[in-house]
Amino acid sequence: MSTVGAIGALTLATVLAFGGAHPLTVDSPDDLPEPTQEMLDASVTRWNPEGSVTQWSLDGSVDELSKEVDEGPNTVVTLKSDILFDFNSAAVPDTAGVAIAEAVKDAPQGAAVTIGGHTDGVGDPASNLTLSQQRADAVAAVIRAERPDLQITATGYGDTQPVAENTTGGEDNPEGRAQNRRVEITYAKA
């Protein structure tokens, strides 16, 4: 195909794309008609950035391992079991030891510390009681290794002390159950 033929084919494609009714006998670019404003407008794609850029916020996307609150004369540090332990396990990962030790860093020298293990209401109550005791004992062992000066008592409560509803309206409540799966460390403030 000659250069003139290629230009003619391109011109034909352009004319058809713009819906124009121009002569089909175009031999050179000089023979092309002057584009109309309508043709120019149709050939331009306008990009509106509004709504095309997604802003991402970290708020709420990171779940903290522990939460510390003052309850009267005591400090209560709540460790989330879902982050600390694998499902149905009481094994403390090596990486969690630092976070557990951090939970009692402000406990006064020689303080009495109680550790309470808690589960959600799913499963057998006896199994939940055993698992909660094992988890309380596991956290206690880490604290004893880091702070041998503390007087530690560890107790498993199973699902007997929920802080949220395990079900709502007869339906499962995953958020409530997650709040109930916890280990609480309590000690008197200095």
Side-chain angles (χ1 to χ4, degrees):
M1 179 182 278
S2 70
T3 304
V4 174
I7 293 173
L10 179 60
T11 303
L12 174 60
T14 304
V15 169
L16 292 175
F18 290 120
H22 298 285
L24 298 179
T25 55
V26 177
D27 293 326
S28 73
D30 295 332
D31 292 338
L32 290 174
E34 193 66 34
T36 65
Q37 187 61 46
E38 182 180 320
M39 294 168 87
L40 291 173
D41 289 345
S43 70
V44 175
T45 300
R46 289 182 175 85
W47 179 67
N48 180 358
E50 188 174 317
S52 66
V53 176
T54 302
Q55 293 185 1
W56 185 55
S57 171
L58 292 176
D59 295 342
S61 64
V62 176
D63 205 2
E64 297 293 329
L65 170 63
S66 66
K67 178 181 174 186
E68 183 177 312
V69 296
D70 289 332
E71 291 184 1
N74 296 324
T75 296
V76 178
V77 180
T78 302
L79 302 173
K80 294 183 179 181
S81 290
D82 290 355
I83 297 172
L84 189 59
F85 299 105
D86 286 335
F87 176 75
N88 207 28
S89 171
V92 176
D94 292 338
T95 55
V98 173
I100 294 171
E102 182 75 13
V104 293
K105 72 175 176 15
D106 294 332
Q109 184 75 23
V113 176
T114 60
I115 300 171
H118 302 271
T119 65
D120 61 23
V122 175
D124 175 54
S127 296
N128 285 339
L129 186 60
T130 299
L131 179 61
S132 66
Q133 182 66 54
Q134 291 170 341
R135 288 179 170 179
D137 289 340
V139 169
V142 171
I143 293 173
R144 280 188 187 103
E146 292 294 320
R147 294 282 309 268
D149 62 293
L150 299 176
Q151 306 305 309
I152 298 173
T153 304
T155 306
Y157 296 99
D159 62 354
T160 63
Q161 297 181 359
V163 292
E165 296 294 327
N166 287 304
T167 59
T168 53
E171 297 291 321
D172 183 38
N173 180 13
E175 294 82 15
R177 287 190 300 106
Q179 290 177 47
N180 292 330
R181 295 186 297 265
R182 67 199 189 280
V183 174
E184 293 178 335
I185 302 168
T186 305
Y187 58 87
K189 294 185 268 186

